[in-house]
Amino acid sequence: GGGGEGGGEGGGEGGGAGGGEGEGGGVQASISPLALAPQLALSGLAWCASTIAYYGIVLWPISLGDGLRLQTTLGALIELPVYVAVPLLSRRLGPRITWVIFLAFAAAVWSSLAVIGGGGAAGTAMLLAARLAGTGATTICYVASNDAFPTAARGFGVAVASCCGRVGSVLAPLIVNLMPEEGGSRMAALATLAGGGALAAFGLSRAASEAS
């Protein structure tokens, strides 16, 4: 009798566990890249724009003082306030809306720079603001894209978006160093890309809400 009960319980538990694992595998297998195409495209574009916004300003020639060491130190200190602001904004507004804000801010700053130029005190201040915006965009993108995908496909989705971000880090030096500067064309290009990234991040927020 005891053996029968033990066998029944063991069989039931084993069958239940096996069924649960099979069900989980079915969920993962049912999510194809085509079903995730909107999230993949939008998150990839937003990641690419974020890294371009960051590395574009890091590589941009800006005078903050005499000596490379001083300029590097001041440039790094400028980013510190963003590392405090990002968690606070993310908690209050949500990661994806925070992402939209920083990319839109970067687009607005680069658009202004394309008009007024980067010289003088006003231009330097705008370039520093562009660094704040780029830092915020690249800081929040990990969290913002993470919850844009279903749990079963989250690793795949973030991996694709991250690779798109690396493409942006390759494109940024080409824009800053090789693109001819005629009438603020480089700044206008950075503004356009940041604006497109902001729209993509906003669309990603809507797509993720509809998918959930």
Side-chain angles (χ1 to χ4, degrees):
E5 292 177 1
E9 292 176 359
E13 293 176 359
E21 293 176 358
E23 184 179 355
V27 171
Q28 293 185 13
S30 65
I31 301 177
S32 67
L34 290 178
L36 299 173
Q39 289 98 316
L40 291 173
L42 292 172
S43 62
L45 177 57
W47 266 70
C48 184
S50 297
T51 53
I52 289 176
Y54 178 73
Y55 288 107
I57 185 59
V58 169
L59 296 171
W60 197 273
I62 175 174
S63 178
L64 296 175
D66 296 330
L68 180 60
R69 180 176 299 178
L70 178 59
Q71 292 194 39
T72 303
T73 302
L74 292 176
L77 290 175
I78 291 169
E79 299 183 3
L80 293 181
V82 179
Y83 301 138
V84 177
V86 164
L88 298 176
L89 289 173
S90 178
R91 181 179 180 181
R92 184 174 183 84
L93 303 176
R96 288 191 293 271
I97 297 302
T98 302
W99 200 5
V100 173
I101 290 173
F102 277 110
L103 282 170
F105 182 35
V109 171
W110 282 114
S111 297
S112 300
L113 283 167
V115 176
I116 69 173
T124 300
M126 296 295 287
L127 288 171
L128 296 180
R131 180 145 186 174
L132 292 175
T135 301
T138 53
T139 301
I140 195 61
C141 62
Y142 295 92
V143 180
S145 59
N146 185 58
D147 62 351
F149 298 95
T151 303
R154 186 162 294 163
F156 172 74
V158 175
V160 172
S162 178
C163 289
C164 293
R166 300 310 301 167
V167 172
S169 67
V170 173
L171 294 177
L174 301 180
I175 296 173
V176 173
N177 297 325
L178 299 182
M179 185 175 178
E181 179 61 18
E182 298 177 358
S185 58
R186 289 185 297 174
M187 295 175 175
L190 292 172
T192 302
L193 291 168
L199 292 175
F202 181 76
L204 179 64
S205 179
R206 294 180 60 87
S209 299
E210 293 172 0
S212 60

